[in-house]
Protein backbone atom coordinates (compact mmCIF):
# COMPACT_ATOMS: atom_id res chain seq x y z
CA UNK A 1 0.00 0.00 0.00
CA UNK A 2 2.89 2.33 0.74
CA UNK A 3 4.21 1.69 -2.72
CA UNK A 4 0.90 2.75 -4.21
CA UNK A 5 0.82 5.83 -2.01
CA UNK A 6 4.38 6.69 -2.99
CA UNK A 7 3.58 6.20 -6.66
CA UNK A 8 0.42 8.22 -6.23
CA UNK A 9 2.35 11.01 -4.45
CA UNK A 10 5.05 10.98 -7.12
CA UNK A 11 2.47 11.09 -9.91
CA UNK A 12 0.63 13.93 -8.13
CA UNK A 13 3.89 15.79 -7.71
CA UNK A 14 4.69 15.20 -11.36
CA UNK A 15 1.21 16.32 -12.43
CA UNK A 16 1.51 19.37 -10.21
CA UNK A 17 4.90 20.20 -11.76
CA UNK A 18 3.48 19.72 -15.26
CA UNK A 19 0.50 21.89 -14.41
CA UNK A 20 2.73 24.64 -13.00
CA UNK A 21 5.05 24.36 -15.99
CA UNK A 22 2.06 24.50 -18.33
CA UNK A 23 0.61 27.55 -16.59
CA UNK A 24 4.04 29.20 -16.62
CA UNK A 25 4.38 28.45 -20.32
CA UNK A 26 0.88 29.80 -21.03
CA UNK A 27 1.63 32.89 -19.00
CA UNK A 28 4.88 33.41 -20.91
CA UNK A 29 3.05 32.94 -24.23
CA UNK A 30 0.38 35.40 -23.14
CA UNK A 31 2.98 37.99 -22.12
CA UNK A 32 4.90 37.41 -25.34
CA UNK A 33 1.67 37.73 -27.35
CA UNK A 34 0.71 40.95 -25.59
CA UNK A 35 4.24 42.29 -26.10
CA UNK A 36 4.09 41.37 -29.78
CA UNK A 37 0.65 43.00 -30.17
CA UNK A 38 1.93 46.10 -28.40
CA UNK A 39 4.97 46.22 -30.69
CA UNK A 40 2.73 45.79 -33.75
CA UNK A 41 0.44 48.55 -32.49
CA UNK A 42 3.37 50.89 -31.91
CA UNK A 43 4.83 50.00 -35.32
CA UNK A 44 1.42 50.57 -36.96
CA UNK A 45 1.00 53.93 -35.26
CA UNK A 46 4.55 54.88 -36.25
CA UNK A 47 3.87 53.85 -39.85
CA UNK A 48 0.59 55.79 -39.91
CA UNK A 49 2.37 58.82 -38.48
CA UNK A 50 5.11 58.52 -41.11
CA UNK A 51 2.48 58.20 -43.86
CA UNK A 52 0.63 61.23 -42.49
CA UNK A 53 3.84 63.27 -42.38
CA UNK A 54 4.78 62.10 -45.89
CA UNK A 55 1.27 62.95 -47.15
CA UNK A 56 1.39 66.41 -45.58
CA UNK A 57 4.88 66.92 -47.02
CA UNK A 58 3.68 65.84 -50.46
CA UNK A 59 0.64 68.13 -50.23
CA UNK A 60 2.89 70.98 -49.16
CA UNK A 61 5.24 70.29 -52.06
CA UNK A 62 2.29 70.18 -54.48
CA UNK A 63 0.95 73.43 -53.05
CA UNK A 64 4.35 75.10 -53.41
CA UNK A 65 4.73 73.72 -56.95
CA UNK A 66 1.20 74.93 -57.82
CA UNK A 67 1.88 78.38 -56.43
CA UNK A 68 5.21 78.47 -58.29
CA UNK A 69 3.48 77.42 -61.52
CA UNK A 70 0.76 80.03 -61.04
CA UNK A 71 3.42 82.66 -60.36
CA UNK A 72 5.33 81.62 -63.48
CA UNK A 73 2.13 81.77 -65.54
CA UNK A 74 1.33 85.20 -64.12
CA UNK A 75 4.82 86.45 -64.92
CA UNK A 76 4.65 84.91 -68.41
CA UNK A 77 1.22 86.50 -68.96
CA UNK A 78 2.45 89.90 -67.81
CA UNK A 79 5.54 89.51 -70.01
CA UNK A 80 3.36 88.57 -72.98
CA UNK A 81 1.03 91.52 -72.37
CA UNK A 82 4.04 93.81 -72.08
CA UNK A 83 5.45 92.44 -75.34
CA UNK A 84 2.07 92.89 -77.05
CA UNK A 85 1.85 96.44 -75.72
CA UNK A 86 5.36 97.22 -76.97
CA UNK A 87 4.59 95.60 -80.34
CA UNK A 88 1.33 97.57 -80.56
CA UNK A 89 3.08 100.83 -79.75
CA UNK A 90 5.81 99.95 -82.25
CA UNK A 91 3.19 99.17 -84.90
CA UNK A 92 1.36 102.45 -84.18
CA UNK A 93 4.65 104.32 -84.39
CA UNK A 94 5.48 102.65 -87.70
CA UNK A 95 1.99 103.44 -88.99
CA UNK A 96 2.38 107.06 -87.87
CA UNK A 97 5.74 107.28 -89.61
CA UNK A 98 4.25 105.69 -92.75
CA UNK A 99 1.33 108.15 -92.73
CA UNK A 100 3.69 111.07 -92.19
CA UNK A 101 5.90 109.84 -95.01
CA UNK A 102 2.87 109.41 -97.28
CA UNK A 103 1.68 112.92 -96.43
CA UNK A 104 5.14 114.28 -97.09
CA UNK A 105 5.35 112.37 -100.35
CA UNK A 106 1.89 113.56 -101.38
CA UNK A 107 2.82 117.17 -100.62
CA UNK A 108 5.95 116.75 -102.68
CA UNK A 109 3.87 115.48 -105.59
CA UNK A 110 1.41 118.34 -105.26
CA UNK A 111 4.29 120.78 -105.53
CA UNK A 112 5.42 119.13 -108.73
CA UNK A 113 5.16 121.61 -111.62
CA UNK A 114 2.97 119.30 -113.71
CA UNK A 115 0.41 118.87 -110.91
CA UNK A 116 0.10 122.55 -109.91
CA UNK A 117 -2.47 123.22 -112.61
CA UNK A 118 -5.01 120.83 -111.10
CA UNK A 119 -7.22 122.80 -108.77
CA UNK A 120 -8.61 119.69 -107.11
CA UNK A 121 -5.29 118.99 -105.41
Amino acid sequence: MTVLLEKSAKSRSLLLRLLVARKDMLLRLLVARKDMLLRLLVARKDMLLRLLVARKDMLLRLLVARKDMLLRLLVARKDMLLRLLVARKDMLLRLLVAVAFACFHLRAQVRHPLLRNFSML
Side-chain angles (χ1 to χ4, degrees):
M1 182 91 167
T2 1
V3 175
L4 286 174
L5 284 175
E6 283 180 18
K7 283 185 179 181
S8 175
K10 282 183 181 179
S11 69
R12 278 189 208 160
S13 174
L14 185 59
L15 283 175
L16 188 60
R17 284 182 188 171
L18 285 173
L19 187 61
V20 168
R22 183 174 169 227
K23 283 188 178 179
D24 184 53
M25 187 59 73
L26 287 175
L27 186 61
R28 286 183 184 181
L29 285 173
L30 185 63
V31 168
R33 183 174 168 227
K34 283 187 178 178
D35 184 54
M36 187 59 72
L37 287 175
L38 186 62
R39 287 182 183 181
L40 286 172
L41 186 63
V42 169
R44 184 175 168 227
K45 284 186 178 179
D46 184 55
M47 188 59 72
L48 287 175
L49 186 63
R50 287 182 182 181
L51 286 172
L52 186 62
V53 169
R55 183 175 168 228
K56 284 186 178 179
D57 184 55
M58 188 60 71
L59 287 174
L60 186 63
R61 286 182 183 182
L62 287 172
L63 185 63
V64 168
R66 184 176 167 226
K67 284 186 178 179
D68 184 54
M69 188 59 72
L70 287 174
L71 187 62
R72 287 183 182 182
L73 286 172
L74 186 62
V75 168
R77 184 175 167 225
K78 284 187 177 179
D79 184 55
M80 189 59 73
L81 287 174
L82 187 62
R83 287 182 182 183
L84 286 172
L85 187 62
V86 168
R88 185 175 163 220
K89 284 186 177 179
D90 184 55
M91 190 60 72
L92 287 173
L93 187 62
R94 287 183 182 184
L95 187 63
L96 188 62
V97 168
V99 167
F101 182 74
C103 288
F104 177 75
H105 189 64
L106 188 61
R107 283 178 86 198
Q109 285 182 354
V110 169
R111 290 184 183 162
H112 197 273
L114 293 176
L115 295 175
R116 278 191 201 159
N117 296 334
F118 292 104
S119 60
M120 294 173 69
L121 294 174

